PDB file of all heavy atoms in Angstrom:
ATOM      1  N   ASP A  36      36.094   4.745  18.462  1.00  0.00           N
ATOM      2  CA  ASP A  36      34.889   4.070  17.954  1.00  0.00           C
ATOM      3  C   ASP A  36      34.816   4.308  16.445  1.00  0.00           C
ATOM      4  O   ASP A  36      34.183   5.260  15.968  1.00  0.00           O
ATOM      5  CB  ASP A  36      33.596   4.619  18.627  1.00  0.00           C
ATOM      6  CG  ASP A  36      32.350   3.842  18.168  1.00  0.00           C
ATOM      7  OD1 ASP A  36      32.487   2.949  17.320  1.00  0.00           O
ATOM      8  OD2 ASP A  36      31.243   4.144  18.638  1.00  0.00           O
ATOM      9  N   ILE A  37      35.564   3.490  15.739  1.00  0.00           N
ATOM     10  CA  ILE A  37      35.759   3.698  14.334  1.00  0.00           C
ATOM     11  C   ILE A  37      34.415   3.708  13.555  1.00  0.00           C
ATOM     12  O   ILE A  37      34.150   4.544  12.689  1.00  0.00           O
ATOM     13  CB  ILE A  37      36.708   2.634  13.735  1.00  0.00           C
ATOM     14  CG1 ILE A  37      38.120   2.885  14.210  1.00  0.00           C
ATOM     15  CG2 ILE A  37      36.633   2.534  12.196  1.00  0.00           C
ATOM     16  CD1 ILE A  37      38.679   4.238  13.790  1.00  0.00           C
ATOM     17  N   LEU A  38      33.506   2.806  13.937  1.00  0.00           N
ATOM     18  CA  LEU A  38      32.198   2.689  13.263  1.00  0.00           C
ATOM     19  C   LEU A  38      31.120   3.006  14.267  1.00  0.00           C
ATOM     20  O   LEU A  38      30.505   2.144  14.777  1.00  0.00           O
ATOM     21  CB  LEU A  38      32.021   1.236  12.676  1.00  0.00           C
ATOM     22  CG  LEU A  38      32.986   0.785  11.601  1.00  0.00           C
ATOM     23  CD1 LEU A  38      32.733  -0.667  11.282  1.00  0.00           C
ATOM     24  CD2 LEU A  38      32.834   1.679  10.362  1.00  0.00           C
ATOM     25  N   ARG A  39      30.750   4.369  14.481  1.00  0.00           N
ATOM     26  CA  ARG A  39      31.305   5.458  13.778  1.00  0.00           C
ATOM     27  C   ARG A  39      31.491   6.686  14.536  1.00  0.00           C
ATOM     28  O   ARG A  39      31.768   7.761  14.093  1.00  0.00           O
ATOM     29  CB  ARG A  39      30.363   5.746  12.603  1.00  0.00           C
ATOM     30  CG  ARG A  39      30.139   4.576  11.600  1.00  0.00           C
ATOM     31  CD  ARG A  39      28.915   4.790  10.726  1.00  0.00           C
ATOM     32  NE  ARG A  39      27.694   4.591  11.506  1.00  0.00           N
ATOM     33  CZ  ARG A  39      26.485   4.757  11.051  1.00  0.00           C
ATOM     34  NH1 ARG A  39      26.262   5.126   9.747  1.00  0.00           N
ATOM     35  NH2 ARG A  39      25.346   4.593  11.819  1.00  0.00           N
ATOM     36  N   ALA A  40      31.290   6.539  15.915  1.00  0.00           N
ATOM     37  CA  ALA A  40      31.178   7.796  16.744  1.00  0.00           C
ATOM     38  C   ALA A  40      32.438   8.645  16.734  1.00  0.00           C
ATOM     39  O   ALA A  40      32.318   9.855  16.539  1.00  0.00           O
ATOM     40  CB  ALA A  40      30.802   7.404  18.188  1.00  0.00           C
ATOM     41  N   THR A  41      33.618   8.056  16.932  1.00  0.00           N
ATOM     42  CA  THR A  41      34.769   8.940  16.966  1.00  0.00           C
ATOM     43  C   THR A  41      35.186   9.412  15.541  1.00  0.00           C
ATOM     44  O   THR A  41      35.773  10.466  15.358  1.00  0.00           O
ATOM     45  CB  THR A  41      35.973   8.391  17.716  1.00  0.00           C
ATOM     46  OG1 THR A  41      36.410   7.139  17.175  1.00  0.00           O
ATOM     47  CG2 THR A  41      35.657   8.198  19.249  1.00  0.00           C
ATOM     48  N   VAL A  43      32.872  10.339  13.424  1.00  0.00           N
ATOM     49  CA  VAL A  43      32.013  11.489  13.314  1.00  0.00           C
ATOM     50  C   VAL A  43      32.561  12.666  14.104  1.00  0.00           C
ATOM     51  O   VAL A  43      32.588  13.824  13.652  1.00  0.00           O
ATOM     52  CB  VAL A  43      30.567  11.169  13.783  1.00  0.00           C
ATOM     53  CG1 VAL A  43      29.787  12.434  14.094  1.00  0.00           C
ATOM     54  CG2 VAL A  43      29.867  10.331  12.732  1.00  0.00           C
ATOM     55  N   GLY A  80      23.367  11.621  15.717  1.00  0.00           N
ATOM     56  CA  GLY A  80      23.658  10.359  16.311  1.00  0.00           C
ATOM     57  C   GLY A  80      22.747   9.269  15.729  1.00  0.00           C
ATOM     58  O   GLY A  80      22.183   9.416  14.646  1.00  0.00           O
ATOM     59  N   GLU A  81      22.758   8.081  16.412  1.00  0.00           N
ATOM     60  CA  GLU A  81      22.013   6.979  15.867  1.00  0.00           C
ATOM     61  C   GLU A  81      21.473   6.050  16.986  1.00  0.00           C
ATOM     62  O   GLU A  81      21.988   6.059  18.121  1.00  0.00           O
ATOM     63  CB  GLU A  81      22.901   6.153  14.941  1.00  0.00           C
ATOM     64  CG  GLU A  81      24.202   5.580  15.541  1.00  0.00           C
ATOM     65  CD  GLU A  81      24.070   4.501  16.639  1.00  0.00           C
ATOM     66  OE1 GLU A  81      23.231   3.619  16.447  1.00  0.00           O
ATOM     67  OE2 GLU A  81      24.807   4.562  17.619  1.00  0.00           O
ATOM     68  N   ARG A  82      20.469   5.322  16.628  1.00  0.00           N
ATOM     69  CA  ARG A  82      20.059   4.140  17.348  1.00  0.00           C
ATOM     70  C   ARG A  82      19.794   3.075  16.291  1.00  0.00           C
ATOM     71  O   ARG A  82      19.096   3.343  15.304  1.00  0.00           O
ATOM     72  CB  ARG A  82      18.808   4.380  18.232  1.00  0.00           C
ATOM     73  CG  ARG A  82      19.118   5.133  19.519  1.00  0.00           C
ATOM     74  CD  ARG A  82      20.061   4.395  20.472  1.00  0.00           C
ATOM     75  NE  ARG A  82      20.411   5.133  21.653  1.00  0.00           N
ATOM     76  CZ  ARG A  82      21.330   6.111  21.789  1.00  0.00           C
ATOM     77  NH1 ARG A  82      22.086   6.380  20.749  1.00  0.00           N
ATOM     78  NH2 ARG A  82      21.514   6.707  22.929  1.00  0.00           N
ATOM     79  N   GLY A  83      20.353   1.825  16.554  1.00  0.00           N
ATOM     80  CA  GLY A  83      20.242   0.775  15.488  1.00  0.00           C
ATOM     81  C   GLY A  83      20.853   1.265  14.200  1.00  0.00           C
ATOM     82  O   GLY A  83      20.417   0.957  13.096  1.00  0.00           O
ATOM     83  N   SER A  84      21.913   2.103  14.298  1.00  0.00           N
ATOM     84  CA  SER A  84      22.675   2.704  13.170  1.00  0.00           C
ATOM     85  C   SER A  84      21.920   3.797  12.424  1.00  0.00           C
ATOM     86  O   SER A  84      22.505   4.515  11.615  1.00  0.00           O
ATOM     87  CB  SER A  84      23.100   1.680  12.146  1.00  0.00           C
ATOM     88  OG  SER A  84      23.794   0.604  12.771  1.00  0.00           O
ATOM     89  N   ARG A  85      20.625   4.032  12.691  1.00  0.00           N
ATOM     90  CA  ARG A  85      19.850   4.963  11.927  1.00  0.00           C
ATOM     91  C   ARG A  85      19.657   6.276  12.657  1.00  0.00           C
ATOM     92  O   ARG A  85      19.681   6.335  13.887  1.00  0.00           O
ATOM     93  CB  ARG A  85      18.450   4.350  11.595  1.00  0.00           C
ATOM     94  CG  ARG A  85      18.644   3.115  10.720  1.00  0.00           C
ATOM     95  CD  ARG A  85      17.410   2.698  10.042  1.00  0.00           C
ATOM     96  NE  ARG A  85      17.695   1.577   9.091  1.00  0.00           N
ATOM     97  CZ  ARG A  85      17.906   0.306   9.454  1.00  0.00           C
ATOM     98  NH1 ARG A  85      17.769  -0.086  10.766  1.00  0.00           N
ATOM     99  NH2 ARG A  85      18.249  -0.567   8.556  1.00  0.00           N
ATOM    100  N   ASN A  94      24.602   9.281  11.848  1.00  0.00           N
ATOM    101  CA  ASN A  94      26.001   8.967  12.371  1.00  0.00           C
ATOM    102  C   ASN A  94      26.938   8.521  11.257  1.00  0.00           C
ATOM    103  O   ASN A  94      27.827   7.773  11.510  1.00  0.00           O
ATOM    104  CB  ASN A  94      25.893   7.845  13.479  1.00  0.00           C
ATOM    105  CG  ASN A  94      27.015   7.988  14.464  1.00  0.00           C
ATOM    106  OD1 ASN A  94      27.475   9.064  14.749  1.00  0.00           O
ATOM    107  ND2 ASN A  94      27.479   6.822  14.940  1.00  0.00           N
ATOM    108  N   SER A  95      26.731   9.103  10.081  1.00  0.00           N
ATOM    109  CA  SER A  95      27.664   8.868   8.991  1.00  0.00           C
ATOM    110  C   SER A  95      28.588  10.080   8.938  1.00  0.00           C
ATOM    111  O   SER A  95      28.121  11.205   8.792  1.00  0.00           O
ATOM    112  CB  SER A  95      26.981   8.772   7.628  1.00  0.00           C
ATOM    113  OG  SER A  95      26.164   7.571   7.635  1.00  0.00           O
ATOM    114  N   THR A 112      24.504  11.568  20.420  1.00  0.00           N
ATOM    115  CA  THR A 112      24.315  10.343  21.223  1.00  0.00           C
ATOM    116  C   THR A 112      24.369   9.154  20.303  1.00  0.00           C
ATOM    117  O   THR A 112      23.736   9.117  19.195  1.00  0.00           O
ATOM    118  CB  THR A 112      22.973  10.370  21.992  1.00  0.00           C
ATOM    119  OG1 THR A 112      22.904   9.155  22.744  1.00  0.00           O
ATOM    120  CG2 THR A 112      21.755  10.481  21.124  1.00  0.00           C
ATOM    121  N   THR A 113      25.210   8.125  20.631  1.00  0.00           N
ATOM    122  CA  THR A 113      25.335   6.930  19.875  1.00  0.00           C
ATOM    123  C   THR A 113      25.307   5.739  20.791  1.00  0.00           C
ATOM    124  O   THR A 113      25.347   5.868  22.027  1.00  0.00           O
ATOM    125  CB  THR A 113      26.628   6.887  19.024  1.00  0.00           C
ATOM    126  OG1 THR A 113      27.725   6.721  19.928  1.00  0.00           O
ATOM    127  CG2 THR A 113      26.838   8.203  18.223  1.00  0.00           C
ATOM    128  N   THR A 114      25.136   4.549  20.255  1.00  0.00           N
ATOM    129  CA  THR A 114      24.902   3.370  21.085  1.00  0.00           C
ATOM    130  C   THR A 114      26.079   3.050  22.018  1.00  0.00           C
ATOM    131  O   THR A 114      25.841   2.792  23.172  1.00  0.00           O
ATOM    132  CB  THR A 114      24.682   2.119  20.146  1.00  0.00           C
ATOM    133  OG1 THR A 114      23.660   2.491  19.191  1.00  0.00           O
ATOM    134  CG2 THR A 114      24.277   0.889  20.910  1.00  0.00           C
ATOM    135  N   ASN A 115      27.254   3.213  21.503  1.00  0.00           N
ATOM    136  CA  ASN A 115      28.457   2.848  22.387  1.00  0.00           C
ATOM    137  C   ASN A 115      29.403   4.040  22.546  1.00  0.00           C
ATOM    138  O   ASN A 115      29.919   4.247  23.635  1.00  0.00           O
ATOM    139  CB  ASN A 115      29.261   1.702  21.715  1.00  0.00           C
ATOM    140  CG  ASN A 115      28.410   0.476  21.492  1.00  0.00           C
ATOM    141  OD1 ASN A 115      28.037  -0.260  22.411  1.00  0.00           O
ATOM    142  ND2 ASN A 115      28.102   0.209  20.257  1.00  0.00           N
ATOM    143  N   GLY A 116      29.703   4.736  21.470  1.00  0.00           N
ATOM    144  CA  GLY A 116      30.813   5.674  21.448  1.00  0.00           C
ATOM    145  C   GLY A 116      30.658   6.823  22.413  1.00  0.00           C
ATOM    146  O   GLY A 116      31.603   7.215  23.192  1.00  0.00           O
ATOM    147  N   THR A 117      29.464   7.467  22.476  1.00  0.00           N
ATOM    148  CA  THR A 117      29.354   8.626  23.370  1.00  0.00           C
ATOM    149  C   THR A 117      29.386   8.225  24.834  1.00  0.00           C
ATOM    150  O   THR A 117      29.908   9.014  25.667  1.00  0.00           O
ATOM    151  CB  THR A 117      28.047   9.464  23.033  1.00  0.00           C
ATOM    152  OG1 THR A 117      26.936   8.585  23.043  1.00  0.00           O
ATOM    153  CG2 THR A 117      28.163  10.087  21.661  1.00  0.00           C
ATOM    154  N   LYS A 118      28.896   7.049  25.114  1.00  0.00           N
ATOM    155  CA  LYS A 118      28.967   6.551  26.515  1.00  0.00           C
ATOM    156  C   LYS A 118      30.407   6.342  26.943  1.00  0.00           C
ATOM    157  O   LYS A 118      30.761   6.469  28.123  1.00  0.00           O
ATOM    158  CB  LYS A 118      28.156   5.261  26.661  1.00  0.00           C
ATOM    159  CG  LYS A 118      26.694   5.368  26.501  1.00  0.00           C
ATOM    160  CD  LYS A 118      25.972   4.078  26.743  1.00  0.00           C
ATOM    161  CE  LYS A 118      24.510   4.147  26.333  1.00  0.00           C
ATOM    162  NZ  LYS A 118      24.151   3.347  25.208  1.00  0.00           N
ATOM    163  N   SER A 156      35.591   1.514  22.150  1.00  0.00           N
ATOM    164  CA  SER A 156      34.276   1.565  22.805  1.00  0.00           C
ATOM    165  C   SER A 156      33.507   0.298  22.529  1.00  0.00           C
ATOM    166  O   SER A 156      32.553   0.023  23.246  1.00  0.00           O
ATOM    167  CB  SER A 156      33.521   2.774  22.387  1.00  0.00           C
ATOM    168  OG  SER A 156      33.570   3.004  21.131  1.00  0.00           O
ATOM    169  N   GLY A 157      33.929  -0.545  21.577  1.00  0.00           N
ATOM    170  CA  GLY A 157      33.374  -1.869  21.421  1.00  0.00           C
ATOM    171  C   GLY A 157      31.912  -1.881  21.034  1.00  0.00           C
ATOM    172  O   GLY A 157      31.370  -0.933  20.498  1.00  0.00           O
ATOM    173  N   ASP A 158      31.309  -3.060  21.307  1.00  0.00           N
ATOM    174  CA  ASP A 158      29.923  -3.197  20.824  1.00  0.00           C
ATOM    175  C   ASP A 158      29.130  -3.776  22.033  1.00  0.00           C
ATOM    176  O   ASP A 158      29.295  -4.970  22.334  1.00  0.00           O
ATOM    177  CB  ASP A 158      29.942  -4.226  19.648  1.00  0.00           C
ATOM    178  CG  ASP A 158      28.604  -4.303  18.985  1.00  0.00           C
ATOM    179  OD1 ASP A 158      27.731  -3.431  19.224  1.00  0.00           O
ATOM    180  OD2 ASP A 158      28.409  -5.211  18.133  1.00  0.00           O
ATOM    181  N   MET A 159      28.366  -2.974  22.643  1.00  0.00           N
ATOM    182  CA  MET A 159      27.557  -3.343  23.846  1.00  0.00           C
ATOM    183  C   MET A 159      28.410  -4.060  24.874  1.00  0.00           C
ATOM    184  O   MET A 159      28.021  -5.138  25.399  1.00  0.00           O
ATOM    185  CB  MET A 159      26.370  -4.253  23.386  1.00  0.00           C
ATOM    186  CG  MET A 159      25.535  -3.702  22.287  1.00  0.00           C
ATOM    187  SD  MET A 159      24.642  -2.227  22.744  1.00  0.00           S
ATOM    188  CE  MET A 159      23.217  -2.886  23.515  1.00  0.00           C
ATOM    189  N   HIS A 214      30.054  -5.259  13.619  1.00  0.00           N
ATOM    190  CA  HIS A 214      29.326  -4.015  13.412  1.00  0.00           C
ATOM    191  C   HIS A 214      29.461  -3.548  11.946  1.00  0.00           C
ATOM    192  O   HIS A 214      28.504  -3.006  11.379  1.00  0.00           O
ATOM    193  CB  HIS A 214      29.822  -2.922  14.377  1.00  0.00           C
ATOM    194  CG  HIS A 214      28.907  -1.758  14.378  1.00  0.00           C
ATOM    195  ND1 HIS A 214      27.597  -1.836  14.594  1.00  0.00           N
ATOM    196  CD2 HIS A 214      29.163  -0.430  14.126  1.00  0.00           C
ATOM    197  CE1 HIS A 214      27.013  -0.676  14.519  1.00  0.00           C
ATOM    198  NE2 HIS A 214      27.949   0.195  14.242  1.00  0.00           N
ATOM    199  N   LEU A 218      26.399  -2.803   9.490  1.00  0.00           N
ATOM    200  CA  LEU A 218      26.268  -1.527   8.791  1.00  0.00           C
ATOM    201  C   LEU A 218      26.012  -1.782   7.279  1.00  0.00           C
ATOM    202  O   LEU A 218      25.164  -1.086   6.653  1.00  0.00           O
ATOM    203  CB  LEU A 218      27.466  -0.638   9.002  1.00  0.00           C
ATOM    204  CG  LEU A 218      27.569   0.081  10.345  1.00  0.00           C
ATOM    205  CD1 LEU A 218      28.916   0.777  10.510  1.00  0.00           C
ATOM    206  CD2 LEU A 218      26.452   1.116  10.529  1.00  0.00           C
ATOM    207  N   ARG A 221      22.540  -2.764   6.718  1.00  0.00           N
ATOM    208  CA  ARG A 221      21.575  -1.627   6.909  1.00  0.00           C
ATOM    209  C   ARG A 221      21.718  -0.549   5.883  1.00  0.00           C
ATOM    210  O   ARG A 221      21.072   0.523   6.043  1.00  0.00           O
ATOM    211  CB  ARG A 221      21.752  -1.102   8.334  1.00  0.00           C
ATOM    212  CG  ARG A 221      21.348  -2.099   9.377  1.00  0.00           C
ATOM    213  CD  ARG A 221      21.694  -1.693  10.802  1.00  0.00           C
ATOM    214  NE  ARG A 221      21.481  -2.761  11.736  1.00  0.00           N
ATOM    215  CZ  ARG A 221      21.959  -2.810  12.979  1.00  0.00           C
ATOM    216  NH1 ARG A 221      22.741  -1.876  13.401  1.00  0.00           N
ATOM    217  NH2 ARG A 221      21.718  -3.832  13.736  1.00  0.00           N
ATOM    218  N   PHE A 223      24.693   1.091   4.936  1.00  0.00           N
ATOM    219  CA  PHE A 223      25.780   2.101   5.213  1.00  0.00           C
ATOM    220  C   PHE A 223      27.158   1.598   4.757  1.00  0.00           C
ATOM    221  O   PHE A 223      28.138   1.948   5.386  1.00  0.00           O
ATOM    222  CB  PHE A 223      25.796   2.445   6.718  1.00  0.00           C
ATOM    223  CG  PHE A 223      24.558   3.111   7.203  1.00  0.00           C
ATOM    224  CD1 PHE A 223      23.625   2.381   7.908  1.00  0.00           C
ATOM    225  CD2 PHE A 223      24.270   4.438   6.920  1.00  0.00           C
ATOM    226  CE1 PHE A 223      22.432   2.976   8.391  1.00  0.00           C
ATOM    227  CE2 PHE A 223      23.125   5.037   7.384  1.00  0.00           C
ATOM    228  CZ  PHE A 223      22.211   4.333   8.125  1.00  0.00           C
ATOM    229  N   ASP A 226      30.168   3.923   4.431  1.00  0.00           N
ATOM    230  CA  ASP A 226      30.804   4.473   5.627  1.00  0.00           C
ATOM    231  C   ASP A 226      32.051   3.719   5.998  1.00  0.00           C
ATOM    232  O   ASP A 226      32.962   4.242   6.636  1.00  0.00           O
ATOM    233  CB  ASP A 226      29.829   4.430   6.823  1.00  0.00           C
ATOM    234  CG  ASP A 226      28.779   5.531   6.760  1.00  0.00           C
ATOM    235  OD1 ASP A 226      28.835   6.320   5.795  1.00  0.00           O
ATOM    236  OD2 ASP A 226      27.929   5.619   7.639  1.00  0.00           O
TER     237      ASP A 226
HETATM  238  C1  MLT B 312      28.236   3.506  18.304  1.00  0.00           C
HETATM  239  O1  MLT B 312      28.483   4.461  19.093  1.00  0.00           O
HETATM  240  O2  MLT B 312      27.935   2.410  18.732  1.00  0.00           O
HETATM  241  C2  MLT B 312      28.328   3.630  16.849  1.00  0.00           C
HETATM  242  O3  MLT B 312      28.770   4.826  16.503  1.00  0.00           O
HETATM  243  C3  MLT B 312      27.132   3.008  16.186  1.00  0.00           C
HETATM  244  C4  MLT B 312      26.934   3.358  14.745  1.00  0.00           C
HETATM  245  O4  MLT B 312      27.326   4.309  14.202  1.00  0.00           O
HETATM  246  O5  MLT B 312      26.255   2.507  14.066  1.00  0.00           O
END
Side-chain angles (χ1 to χ4, degrees):
D36 183 359
I37 289 301
L38 296 174
R39 300 163 287 176
T41 58
V43 161
E81 58 69 42
R82 283 298 179 275
S84 306
R85 298 196 171 80
N94 207 33
S95 294
T112 182
T113 70
T114 309
N115 303 288
T117 52
K118 292 182 189 117
S156 47
D158 190 12
M159 308 294 275
H214 193 52
L218 284 171
R221 293 169 189 165
F223 296 102
D226 284 359

